[in-house]
Amino acid sequence: MEVTEVTLRLMLLGMPGIVAYLIICKITTKRKATQLDSLLQIFLLSILSYLLLSGFYLALASVTGGRITIQSPLERLIGSISSKTNSILFWEIVAATTASVVVAFGWSYAWYYKLLTKLARFIRASNRYGDDGIMAAFLSSEQLHEKGEWLVVRDHSTNVFYYGFVHAWSDSNDEQRELILLDVSVYSNDDGSFLYQTNYLYLERPKGVLSIETPPLPSAPGEAHDPTDTPDDSQ
């Protein structure tokens, strides 16, 4: 494929979006995206980076009472693409790339707290929990965090269950389910008898093998709950 001058300009001017996209991929759980989706996201991140830089320039002009004014980066961006006589503004790209770091962390913050999904659910435009799957939605839910992350994890392949603190879990898009549990007590799934205890447990199983439950609450204040007292499945 021949790389024209316009294509080269677009690649250089899209550098802020590329940097932001790489940061987002490193610090978030991204579902598999098509090449078109990735290009559209890079384009959007580039525009947001230049908009953030433009906002900074406007704030600088406002604070200084107009003594310091800089042309909007978006105006320069459009001009540098449309006219071959305009030179690529190197320092403008460097400044926008710096701004893209802020954009990437803001994007990641919105993704982690599912702000767009919560807004859509609030206005009843959607009933989705996000793109991470129900398992991730359950383990990261605010209701679960309020109760604590001590959970009962049933392993139906070995007929045991684990009671412990869920420290970390794998992406829902992975073929294997991975969990890291702390302060784990292991019990038999048949009669609930105690088997052993360990401080640290890494668990890896195929999809459909594990089920996760919240332990029953104590029946009286100060009474310790027993993870073996699980609800009757026949009810």
Side-chain angles (χ1 to χ4, degrees):
M1 182 180 67
E2 182 182 358
V3 179
T4 63
E5 182 179 349
V6 174
T7 304
L8 182 60
R9 286 172 178 264
L10 288 173
M11 291 174 60
L12 290 175
L13 293 170
M15 190 60 64
I18 296 174
V19 171
Y21 181 80
L22 292 175
I23 293 175
I24 291 170
C25 289
K26 287 293 184 181
I27 63 178
T28 65
T29 303
K30 285 187 60 62
R31 61 182 176 88
K32 294 181 181 179
T34 63
Q35 187 176 11
L36 178 60
D37 290 337
S38 299
L39 290 175
L40 290 175
Q41 186 173 347
I42 289 173
F43 174 76
L44 178 59
L45 290 169
S46 295
I47 295 299
L48 291 175
S49 300
Y50 285 108
L51 281 174
L52 179 61
L53 186 61
S54 298
F56 172 75
Y57 287 165
L58 288 174
L60 182 63
S62 176
V63 169
T64 59
R67 291 190 299 272
I68 300 178
T69 58
I70 305 175
Q71 185 181 2
S72 170
L74 282 178
E75 295 179 11
R76 293 185 172 189
L77 170 64
I78 296 173
S80 63
I81 295 175
S82 59
S83 177
K84 292 184 178 181
T85 58
N86 289 346
S87 60
I88 293 291
L89 304 174
F90 175 76
W91 290 112
E92 205 76 70
I93 296 175
V94 172
T97 302
T98 303
S100 71
V101 177
V102 179
V103 171
F105 278 94
W107 186 292
S108 301
Y109 180 91
W111 168 87
Y112 182 79
Y113 289 100
K114 297 178 175 57
L115 299 184
L116 182 61
T117 304
K118 289 179 179 179
L119 175 61
R121 290 179 63 85
F122 178 76
I123 63 176
R124 299 187 178 183
S126 173
N127 61 353
R128 295 188 62 186
Y129 287 92
D131 296 326
D132 302 326
I134 297 300
M135 176 180 170
F138 171 73
L139 292 174
S140 60
S141 64
E142 296 178 358
Q143 293 84 353
L144 182 62
H145 290 174
E146 291 174 358
K147 296 180 180 179
E149 295 175 325
W150 290 85
L151 297 174
V152 173
V153 180
R154 295 190 184 275
D155 185 350
H156 300 283
S157 64
T158 58
N159 208 27
V160 300
F161 70 87
Y162 309 91
Y163 174 68
F165 180 83
V166 179
H167 176 66
W169 56 89
S170 63
D171 300 347
S172 296
N173 295 325
D174 296 341
E175 290 300 323
Q176 296 285 104
R177 298 298 195 193
E178 296 175 285
L179 290 174
I180 295 178
L181 304 174
L182 306 179
D183 298 329
V184 188
S185 299
V186 185
Y187 298 85
S188 170
N189 217 13
D190 290 328
D191 55 9
S193 59
F194 175 78
L195 299 178
Y196 65 92
Q197 190 167 3
T198 182
N199 294 327
Y200 189 91
L201 176 69
Y202 168 76
L203 191 64
E204 180 183 11
R205 294 291 185 271
K207 289 183 178 180
V209 171
L210 301 177
S211 63
I212 305 175
E213 309 166 9
T214 56
L217 296 175
S219 56
E223 180 182 343
H225 60 267
D226 185 352
T228 61
D229 295 335
T230 53
D232 188 355
D233 296 335
S234 62
Q235 296 180 355

